[in-house]
Amino acid sequence: MGRKLLLANDHIEGIRKLDVYRKHGGYSSLEKALKTMTPEQVVEEVKASGLRGRGGAGFPTGMKWSFIAKPAGVPRYVVCNADESEPGTFKDRYLMERIPHLLIEGMIASSFALGARTSFIYIRGEYFYVARILEQAIAEAYEAGLLGKNIMNSGFDHDCYVQVGAGAYICGE
């Protein structure tokens, strides 16, 4: 059986809160990326990690990132599709309920790697209470200087938003 990575800290009491998440190493990977790496180095590290998408195809994430065009002066956005529109799927909801800062940290790091200054977490309407958890975590991140202008004094600016959907099974992406 493989090593538990994504939810390795889900058993920690209070891990949903920023101070507890940081006490257990949260945002340290983001700090490394922003302060010691170039966006291209982050992409290469993700390639080397073997990280794959959580969809059915399991496409290598770093490979997908390397395909992104980076024309100067063109805004880019990162969107996390946390809709879970497949019946009986709860992989995203559990992560967002238990460790929302893990998702936010990933959104910021991937945005840095891809040159995006704005990201969106799209969540289904039925998960309104999870959207509130995410919004609270995002507010904590802004207050701590982990979102907004000059994150961690790195010169990188990033904003993250939650977008709640209409709540239908198949709406398209």
Side-chain angles (χ1 to χ4, degrees):
M1 188 165 129
R3 218 173 57 166
K4 184 178 179 182
L5 295 174
L6 189 60
L7 298 172
N9 291 334
D10 70 329
H11 65 284
I12 297 171
E13 186 69 35
I15 195 73
R16 179 188 298 177
K17 301 304 263 172
L18 178 61
D19 60 335
V20 177
Y21 180 70
R22 290 194 86 174
K23 180 179 173 186
H24 292 277
Y27 290 100
S28 60
S29 293
L30 177 64
E31 185 170 19
K32 175 186 172 188
L34 294 179
K35 293 189 174 182
T36 69
M37 301 172 80
T38 66
E40 294 78 17
Q41 288 172 320
V42 174
V43 171
E44 289 305 314
E45 185 149 324
V46 170
K47 278 184 182 178
S49 76
L51 179 67
R52 293 180 171 272
R54 297 182 76 199
F59 197 82
T61 304
M63 181 76 69
K64 186 181 289 188
W65 287 4
S66 69
F67 297 152
I68 303 294
K70 296 183 176 115
V74 176
R76 284 175 290 287
Y77 303 93
V78 170
V79 178
C80 171
N81 182 356
D83 182 58
E84 289 192 333
S85 61
E86 304 85 10
T89 303
F90 304 107
K91 63 183 179 12
D92 301 328
R93 184 187 72 186
Y94 189 76
L95 171 66
M96 293 182 291
E97 283 178 345
R98 296 287 301 156
I99 317 174
H101 283 285
L102 183 62
L103 173 58
I104 296 165
E105 181 177 12
M107 296 292 287
I108 302 166
S110 59
S111 294
F112 173 71
L114 298 171
R117 301 288 186 211
T118 306
S119 63
F120 299 90
I121 301 169
Y122 176 80
I123 187 168
R124 66 181 333 165
E126 293 88 349
Y127 291 172
F128 189 77
Y129 72 98
V130 180
R132 298 290 78 86
I133 292 169
L134 287 170
E135 288 170 348
Q136 184 177 26
I138 287 170
E140 285 182 313
Y142 273 108
E143 188 174 317
L146 299 167
L147 281 170
K149 301 276 186 214
N150 194 23
I151 297 170
M152 296 179 167
N153 296 314
S154 67
F156 180 66
D157 302 338
H158 187 74
D159 292 305
C160 183
Y161 303 96
V162 175
Q163 176 61 52
V164 178
Y169 170 60
I170 300 287
C171 289
E173 292 181 80

